[in-house]
Amino acid sequence: MSFFGFGQSADIDISLDGTENRKMAEIKSEDGKKERHFLYYDGETVSGKVNVTLKKPGSKLEHQGIKIEFVGQIELYYDRGNHHEFTSLVKELARPGELIQNTLYAFEFLNVEKPFESYTGSNVRLRYFLRVTVVRRLSDVVKELDIVVHTLSCYPDMNNSIKMEVGIEDCLHIEFEYNKSKYHLKDVIVGKIYFLLVRIKIKNMEIAIIKRETTGSGPNTFTENETIAKYEIMDGAPVRGESIPIRVFLAGYDLTPSMRDINKKFSVRYYLNLVLMDEEDRRYFKQQEITLWRKGEKTRKNLQTSPSPQLLVTGGAESFIPAHNHSSDPQDPAGTIEDMKQDTNEEEHSSKMTVQTADAHGDACSTNLTADGMDE
């Protein structure tokens, strides 16, 4: 192939400036493996050198120009043919001509805007990379180098606690409270649950952190739910007046900041899901959205920016939503996630709900319960 001019006749190496003092960050690749790349922030300059090495010393390489690009790109897995570039900067390194020896080129992208955080999810990937292209008539020589971008936020001015009284009329009334509605990625969720009325034989209670990734729009909307963590916080039947403390440490989990409508392509939201199971194996859950943000380090105070406008909190429902215990998802044995996907937009604010049970012959029957209308 090289004899006919089709093969790659040069190697390209990209080196970044200041790497000896620059941190590296891990990010998942498309196949789920962890990769480490140099870490950058919004507004930082990206500079370095490009070394073009001829494979055959003494030979020459004809080209139509050499360029380097800084690219911010969103790739939706269901639409792999189209890469959506929200940032694209180009620098010309060399005009058309010939290379007769190994050549080193310097480049600099000054104060580059990097509006979104790097992210690899179930159905979408947002990446930043440098791409060097030696343009040739038959086949270009291309080299890419990925970097990781983190978006920093300062402490939210408004960070009210979440306090809500929910339940089923004349059966169960509980009040739950979380100390904040916005948490940084190394924070601790502290809360408490109070039982005001208990007429259901509750067997246990658990709390879970759920990440919901939504991609696309219209008929091409895909929603993927992932249970990040799950804890049993109560075992046994509570009595009226009982209180259960909650303390969840976020630092040990692979979390990203909440992302709202990133470039009109995808969103990532987090929820605290409180699940109760009674002795008849019926499950009730209450879901509350929380906002996660990345806290700026002390050594980078000058890089901290205001909270991104997509970091907003959406209030949850005011009633428990029963979920059927027929899930086949090993990450969600309670079967709550599938119900959440169906019910979030339609029934979250409904004052009625249905709990399915089975009679002595195994036939399904329904019992209508009215939720406690605390909004009223």
Side-chain angles (χ1 to χ4, degrees), residues 59 240 314:
S59 63
R240 180 177 179 179
T314 303

Side-chain angles (χ1 to χ4, degrees), residues 69-241:
E69 301 168 84
F70 181 85
V71 181
Q73 177 181 279
I74 297 175
E75 179 184 359
L76 300 173
Y77 294 163
Y78 69 85
D79 188 20
R80 291 182 179 272
N82 295 321
H83 293 167
H84 307 277
E85 295 184 357
F86 55 87
T87 296
S88 182
L89 304 174
V90 184
K91 298 277 187 181
E92 184 179 317
L93 300 179
R95 294 183 178 181
E98 292 182 352
L99 286 180
I100 58 175
Q101 62 183 1
N102 300 339
T103 308
L104 191 66
Y105 302 97
F107 68 89
E108 182 182 51
F109 293 99
L110 191 64
N111 302 330
V112 186
E113 182 181 357
K114 311 174 197 70
F116 311 122
E117 175 149 335
S118 300
Y119 175 75
T120 302
S122 302
N123 296 311
V124 64
R125 178 169 65 158
L126 189 153
R127 62 187 285 243
Y128 293 87
F129 60 95
L130 293 163
R131 178 168 56 206
V132 176
T133 305
V134 178
V135 182
R136 303 181 65 199
R137 290 182 179 179
L138 297 176
S139 60
D140 296 341
V141 183
V142 181
K143 174 73 172 183
E144 293 182 355
L145 177 67
D146 282 80
I147 65 170
V148 172
V149 171
H150 282 175
T151 301
L152 303 181
S153 299
C154 60
Y155 191 83
D157 294 331
M158 296 294 294
N159 199 359
N160 299 325
S161 62
I162 302 173
K163 189 173 183 179
M164 203 173 296
E165 187 174 337
V166 298
I168 304 170
E169 188 176 2
D170 297 330
C171 295
L172 176 69
H173 287 186
I174 69 171
E175 181 181 275
F176 69 87
E177 181 176 3
Y178 303 115
N179 60 331
K180 293 182 289 188
S181 57
K182 304 179 180 72
Y183 299 88
H184 63 78
L185 300 185
K186 307 298 181 183
D187 216 336
V188 181
I189 298 174
V190 178
K192 188 169 288 190
I193 297 173
Y194 304 91
F195 289 88
L196 307 178
L197 175 65
V198 183
R199 291 180 180 172
I200 296 177
K201 294 181 178 179
I202 298 175
K203 185 166 61 175
N204 58 43
M205 179 167 58
E206 62 187 22
I207 189 169
I209 303 173
I210 294 174
K211 181 178 80 170
R212 178 176 298 166
E213 175 189 297
T214 305
T215 56
S217 60
N220 291 323
T221 299
F222 297 89
T223 300
E224 189 76 24
N225 293 285
E226 178 183 355
T227 301
I228 303 295
K230 185 182 291 187
Y231 295 97
E232 184 177 82
I233 57 176
M234 185 191 73
D235 184 19
V239 297
R240 180 177 179 179

Side-chain angles (χ1 to χ4, degrees), residues 284-336:
Y284 310 86
F285 70 87
K286 172 69 183 73
Q287 181 186 121
Q288 175 64 44
E289 183 175 4
I290 59 174
T291 295
L292 299 184
W293 54 282
R294 187 179 298 280
K295 186 178 182 180
E297 300 178 19
K298 291 181 181 180
T299 57
R300 294 187 176 273
K301 283 186 178 180
N302 58 323
L303 295 173
Q304 293 183 11
T305 58
S306 300
S308 179
Q310 70 262 23
L311 300 184
L312 302 175
V313 175
T314 303
E318 295 297 322
S319 62
F320 272 97
I321 305 174
H324 314 313
N325 191 20
H326 298 296
S327 174
S328 60
D329 185 356
Q331 292 185 331
D332 180 36
T336 59

Side-chain angles (χ1 to χ4, degrees), residues 168 171 200 276 278 280-285 320-325 352-358 364-370:
I168 304 170
C171 295
I200 296 177
L276 286 80
D278 64 18
E280 297 179 10
D281 287 340
R282 291 177 297 190
R283 292 178 181 261
Y284 310 86
F285 70 87
F320 272 97
I321 305 174
H324 314 313
N325 191 20
K352 294 283 187 179
M353 60 184 179
T354 302
V355 181
Q356 282 199 347
T357 60
C365 58
S366 298
T367 304
N368 287 327
L369 303 175
T370 304

